Coordinates of all heavy atoms in Angstrom, one line a residue:
D421 N 45.0 16.6 5.6 CA 43.9 17.3 6.3 C 43.5 18.6 5.6 O 44.2 19.6 5.8 CB 44.2 17.5 7.7 CG 42.9 18.0 8.5 OD1 42.0 18.4 7.9 OD2 43.0 17.9 9.8
K424 N 42.4 22.3 7.2 CA 43.2 23.4 7.8 C 44.6 23.3 7.2 O 45.6 23.1 7.8 CB 43.4 23.3 9.3 CG 43.6 21.8 9.8 CD 43.8 21.8 11.3 CE 44.2 20.3 11.6 NZ 43.8 19.9 12.9
L425 N 44.7 23.4 5.9 CA 45.9 23.2 5.1 C 46.5 24.7 4.9 O 45.7 25.5 4.4 CB 45.6 22.5 3.9 CG 46.9 22.1 2.9 CD1 47.7 21.1 3.7 CD2 46.3 21.5 1.6
N426 N 47.7 24.8 5.2 CA 48.4 26.1 4.8 C 48.8 25.9 3.3 O 49.5 24.9 3.0 CB 49.6 26.4 5.7 CG 49.2 26.8 7.1 OD1 48.1 27.2 7.3 ND2 50.2 26.7 8.0
V427 N 48.5 26.9 2.5 CA 48.8 26.7 1.1 C 49.6 28.0 0.6 O 49.1 29.1 0.8 CB 47.5 26.6 0.2 CG1 47.8 26.4 -1.3 CG2 46.6 25.5 0.7
V438 N 50.8 33.0 2.0 CA 50.2 31.8 2.6 C 48.7 32.0 2.9 O 48.4 32.9 3.6 CB 51.0 31.4 3.9 CG1 50.3 30.1 4.5 CG2 52.4 31.1 3.6
V439 N 47.9 31.1 2.3 CA 46.4 31.1 2.5 C 46.1 29.8 3.1 O 46.8 28.9 3.3 CB 45.7 31.3 1.1 CG1 46.0 32.7 0.6 CG2 46.1 30.2 0.2
K440 N 44.8 29.7 3.5 CA 44.4 28.5 4.2 C 43.1 27.9 3.5 O 42.3 28.6 3.0 CB 44.0 28.9 5.7 CG 45.2 29.1 6.6 CD 44.7 29.5 8.0 CE 44.2 28.4 8.8 NZ 45.3 27.6 9.4
Ligands
NAG804 C1 49.8 27.1 9.3 O1 50.3 28.3 9.5 C2 50.0 28.9 10.8 C3 50.6 30.3 10.8 O2 49.8 31.0 9.9 C4 50.7 28.1 11.9 O3 50.4 28.6 13.1 C5 50.3 26.6 11.7 O4 51.0 25.8 12.6 C6 50.5 26.2 10.3 N1 49.9 24.8 10.2 C7 50.5 23.8 9.7 C8 49.7 22.5 9.7 O5 51.7 23.8 9.3

Side-chain angles (χ1 to χ4, degrees):
D421 188 344
K424 46 175 186 211
L425 187 63
N426 289 342
V427 186
V438 177
V439 293
K440 283 176 79 80

